Amino acid sequence: MSRLPLVFFGHGSPMVALEKSTLTRCWAGIAARIGKPRAILCISAHWLTDGTAVTAMPEPRTIHDFGAFPQALFDVRYPAPGDPDLALRVRELLSPMPVALDHGWGLDHGTWSVLVHAYPEADVPVVQLGMDLSKDPAAHWEVGRRLRPLRDEGVLIMGTGNIVHNLPAMDWNNPAAPPYDWADRFNAAMISAIAEDRPQVVIDFEALGEAAHLSVPTPDHFWPLLYVLGARHDREKAEFEADFIHHKSLGMASVLIGAS
């Protein structure tokens, strides 16, 4: 079995699940290049946990973890199966770190709003990995590194979040407005570090000072990128899609690593 690539999807509003756009076609195109994996291990910005956890149910529910959206969005279901055996394999790879086998979460919108476009048939088993709130960026990267063997076992490691994610600063009325200078500088620095395979720069993102503080006011949407970079092998090529900043402070870049 050949080694699967890695992917980080820059996701936006959950409303993207109902859209057909350049962005959603980009996601479908990335999935087409990757091909159909045996299973997907997704690290979503929207599942933060006390300790590390992994979904272990055979039929994960579609979680509508938001409010004030049209009913059509609440009606969306992504009925992909789970993979309890993959959950056990994740726990094995991360041992002796404790990993809880979770039967209550499911697939949150950070996962399914992307997958409805990337793998619309919902026929690939999906497992989510929770991000331990107590870990620092280096520790999140290390978890990704320990999950590398999954790539040779038919499992797609996928992160969803945003390199730049400052909701209070967004200009909701002008999606195509030029980005803030700080957002542009931080995004460019991270894209450059990823392209040049300098993960320590990404791990130490806070060293960029005010630009980092404004671009990543909370780490939840940034951390999934660290898992993807941790699972990267040396000198694997990174490619970037939809590298633009939406509403002035929402970075939409997707990163595909190790594709042929």
Side-chain angles (χ1 to χ4, degrees), residues 54-236:
V54 62
T55 57
M57 69 286 288
E59 297 181 0
R61 64 192 176 104
T62 303
I63 302 173
H64 300 87
D65 48 331
F66 44 71
F69 284 101
Q71 183 60 43
L73 192 60
F74 290 90
D75 292 339
V76 174
R77 296 293 183 273
Y78 190 75
D83 190 334
D85 289 338
L86 175 56
L88 290 172
R89 177 63 172 145
V90 168
R91 187 168 68 171
E92 177 186 34
L93 288 170
L94 297 183
S95 177
M97 178 195 305
V99 177
L101 299 179
D102 179 89
H103 294 271
W105 188 247
L107 305 180
D108 61 55
H109 83 267
T111 298
W112 60 258
S113 68
V114 174
L115 289 181
V116 294
H117 297 290
Y119 294 99
E121 296 84 3
D123 58 352
V124 177
V126 183
V127 166
Q128 280 200 214
L129 181 68
M131 298 186 296
D132 184 352
L133 280 162
S134 71
K135 293 188 182 300
D136 63 18
H140 290 294
W141 182 91
E142 174 63 20
V143 171
R145 188 190 69 80
R146 291 168 66 177
L147 294 172
R148 283 179 187 175
L150 294 176
R151 299 179 57 193
D152 297 313
E153 299 170 14
V155 178
L156 174 64
I157 299 175
M158 162 185 157
T160 76
N162 302 92
I163 293 176
V164 177
H165 186 270
N166 188 326
L167 294 185
M170 286 175 63
D171 185 343
W172 294 96
N173 295 319
N174 297 290
Y180 295 107
D181 176 67
W182 48 263
D184 198 34
R185 285 188 286 111
F186 183 79
N187 186 71
M190 293 298 101
I191 293 295
S192 176
I194 297 165
E196 296 168 7
D197 196 11
R198 294 184 289 134
Q200 196 61 47
V201 174
V202 185
I203 293 168
D204 296 334
F205 69 94
E206 292 174 321
L208 291 176
E210 183 183 27
H213 175 72
L214 291 171
S215 297
V216 188
T218 60
D220 47 323
H221 279 70
F222 191 82
W223 281 346
L225 175 63
L226 296 173
Y227 289 78
V228 170
L229 296 182
R232 181 184 193 178
H233 290 275
D234 290 344
R235 295 181 295 279
E236 283 189 306

Side-chain angles (χ1 to χ4, degrees), residues 15-86:
M15 285 296 292
V16 74
L18 302 178
E19 297 172 1
K20 299 293 184 184
S21 66
T22 300
L23 179 63
T24 64
R25 287 189 290 273
C26 164
W27 294 347
I30 289 173
R33 288 190 61 190
I34 293 170
K36 185 177 177 180
R38 176 179 69 80
I40 295 170
L41 177 66
C42 184
I43 302 95
S44 164
H46 296 278
W47 195 27
L48 302 172
T49 51
D50 293 322
T52 301
V54 62
T55 57
M57 69 286 288
E59 297 181 0
R61 64 192 176 104
T62 303
I63 302 173
H64 300 87
D65 48 331
F66 44 71
F69 284 101
Q71 183 60 43
L73 192 60
F74 290 90
D75 292 339
V76 174
R77 296 293 183 273
Y78 190 75
D83 190 334
D85 289 338
L86 175 56

